[in-house]
Amino acid sequence: MKTIYILAVLAVVVAVSIFAVASFADKDEKNKDDKHGHKVGKVAYDFELSDENGDKHKLDDYGEELVLMVFWLADCPSCKKEVPDLVDFHDKYGEKGLKILSLNVADDKERIKKFKKEHGIEYTVLVDKAQTVTKKYKVIGVPTNILVGTDGKMLFRKYRLPKEGTVIEDNLPEKKSEAAGKEDEEK
């Protein structure tokens, strides 16, 4: 009798264990999205954040442009060091289809406005003080730079900016439309 009782308890434990594993596996499958992610080659997650003036911006709003997302904060020396290069990128490539979305991860709106004015920043600065987008992209250090192509896929992700003349120029919408035009002419 005692053996039957032990076997019954063991059967219940095994059944519960199998059910639990199956439930977790099913939940993971439902939440798994092979298309989107935070790594190069994956489609970038959409998000909506406000700039320092309260205007809302969504990543998907810039689908026709090459987007450089820059995660930063005002007191970060490496972040400050990148600003002149970002200003140059904005001036050189802005009209050719590069959109810079600079995501501040810690400062309040007044600090951001002051920083923009001090550094002559004209590109878009978004406020992610709650770090919702920062966490979604698994950013663990600043600056983190992510380049998103017109197809929504991440082309570059590093703690430094892409070198000028490389992945940015190769993926500008203007450059892609020129290449498509040449292919049409050849046909």
Side-chain angles (χ1 to χ4, degrees):
M1 186 76 154
K2 192 175 184 181
T3 306
I4 294 174
Y5 177 74
I6 291 173
L7 289 175
V9 169
L10 189 58
V12 169
V13 169
V14 169
V16 168
S17 297
I18 291 170
F19 177 75
V21 168
S23 294
F24 285 122
D26 185 47
K27 184 178 179 184
D28 286 345
E29 272 311 302
K30 288 178 185 173
N31 292 333
K32 192 173 180 182
D33 180 358
D34 290 334
K35 185 177 168 187
H36 290 83
H38 64 279
K39 296 180 179 180
V40 171
K42 295 289 187 177
V43 174
Y45 295 113
D46 190 25
F47 60 83
E48 181 176 271
L49 289 173
S50 297
D51 60 25
E52 76 280 4
N53 298 315
D55 297 326
K56 299 216 181 274
H57 298 261
K58 290 180 68 170
L59 180 60
D60 282 355
D61 292 342
Y62 304 103
E64 299 296 315
E65 296 178 271
L66 185 64
V67 177
L68 179 58
M69 297 190 314
V70 180
F71 293 84
W72 68 286
L73 60 104
D75 292 327
C76 163
S78 297
C79 300
K80 287 179 187 176
K81 189 176 178 182
E82 279 189 351
V83 170
D85 291 330
L86 289 166
V87 169
D88 287 347
F89 283 177
H90 174 74
D91 293 345
K92 186 171 184 178
Y93 302 117
E95 291 186 16
K96 295 179 180 180
L98 175 67
K99 179 69 176 178
I100 298 174
L101 296 179
S102 180
L103 291 84
N104 184 284
V105 302
D107 300 305
D108 62 35
K109 291 178 183 182
E110 292 308 312
R111 175 73 173 110
I112 293 169
K113 286 179 185 180
K114 182 180 175 189
F115 189 90
K116 279 184 75 170
K117 187 175 181 180
E118 288 173 357
H119 293 86
I121 295 172
E122 295 181 18
Y123 51 81
T124 304
V125 177
L126 304 175
V127 181
D128 190 25
K129 195 169 181 178
Q131 299 186 0
T132 54
V133 178
T134 303
K135 289 174 186 170
K136 193 172 205 174
Y137 278 91
K138 300 190 184 315
V139 172
I140 56 172
V142 291
T144 293
N145 301 286
I146 300 173
L147 188 65
V148 180
T150 56
D151 62 356
K153 289 185 180 176
M154 287 180 276
L155 305 169
F156 176 94
R157 180 188 173 122
K158 300 225 184 250
Y159 293 112
R160 62 168 173 76
L161 288 170
K163 291 186 170 113
E164 189 170 350
T166 57
V167 69
I168 289 178
E169 284 189 6
D170 291 345
N171 288 284
L172 287 169
E174 180 180 276
K175 184 116 177 170
K176 286 186 172 190
S177 65
E178 286 176 13
K182 286 180 184 177
E183 287 177 13
D184 291 342
E185 288 175 11
E186 293 173 1
K187 290 180 182 180

